[in-house]
Amino acid sequence: MKSVLFLCVANSARSQMAEGLARDAFGDKAHIFSAGSAPADVNPYAVQVMDEIGIDISGQYSKSVDDIDISRMDFIITLCADEICPVIPKHVQHLHWPLPDPANDKPDTPEVQILSDFRLARDDISAKITNFMQKTLPSKQSRH
């Protein structure tokens, strides 16, 4: 069984959504993890937009990349855009999906815009996971 780690800085939004989407897509066909180089609390907007599509990530929590044995991963997928992503061991297959962080720290941003940014990130990640799944790992649904 393959192991996949989604990695970004805070492990609060993009990588948390990716973990939930990948767990839903792969079921028990892969071990799915997420972590960050500077973990923070899971963003409530990430929980909300995932709930909109029927995926509950409210029980997930932010983890430090230091707490995960990344040498045992088959794939590490970094989601950092403008931030500096953690260093990846050379023997691990590494994919980079640069996505802007929807967690906006500008206090004057309207909630409707924040939710829109989170939905866009969720949908981008979902499309990338679908493509990755079709090319790399078996899905939980048979294609026969």
Side-chain angles (χ1 to χ4, degrees):
M1 188 177 310
K2 300 289 185 184
S3 295
V4 180
L5 172 64
F6 292 97
L7 193 56
C8 65
V9 176
N11 189 220
S12 65
R14 293 166 293 186
S15 55
Q16 290 290 339
M17 291 189 291
E19 179 181 350
L21 288 161
R23 285 180 190 268
D24 185 65
F26 292 114
D28 62 359
K29 303 289 185 194
H31 296 291
I32 307 296
F33 305 91
S34 70
S37 54
D41 292 334
V42 176
N43 191 296
Y45 290 114
V47 174
Q48 181 177 340
V49 301
M50 292 298 290
D51 188 55
E52 290 173 358
I53 61 168
I55 298 175
D56 181 6
I57 65 167
S58 63
Q60 292 179 197
Y61 60 94
S62 294
K63 298 155 289 291
S64 172
V65 69
D66 296 332
D67 296 333
I68 293 182
D69 184 358
I70 60 174
S71 70
R72 300 190 76 187
M73 296 295 135
D74 295 297
F75 298 93
I76 295 179
I77 301 172
T78 51
L79 302 166
C80 313
D82 299 326
E83 317 89 332
I84 297 174
C85 287
V87 176
I88 308 301
K90 292 189 187 287
H91 72 279
V92 175
Q93 287 190 311
H94 174 222
L95 300 171
H96 183 59
W97 299 346
L99 295 169
D101 189 354
N104 177 336
D105 62 355
K106 298 175 186 159
D108 58 339
T109 303
E111 184 176 42
V112 67
Q113 181 62 52
I114 295 169
L115 285 168
S116 176
D117 292 345
F118 270 85
R119 289 180 186 117
L120 181 61
R122 176 200 64 203
D123 295 345
D124 279 352
I125 294 165
S126 181
K128 289 177 185 310
I129 287 172
T130 298
N131 187 43
F132 172 72
M133 181 176 72
Q134 290 170 346
K135 291 180 177 179
T136 313
L137 299 172
S139 71
K140 69 179 180 184
Q141 299 169 347
S142 175
R143 297 186 188 272
H144 300 296

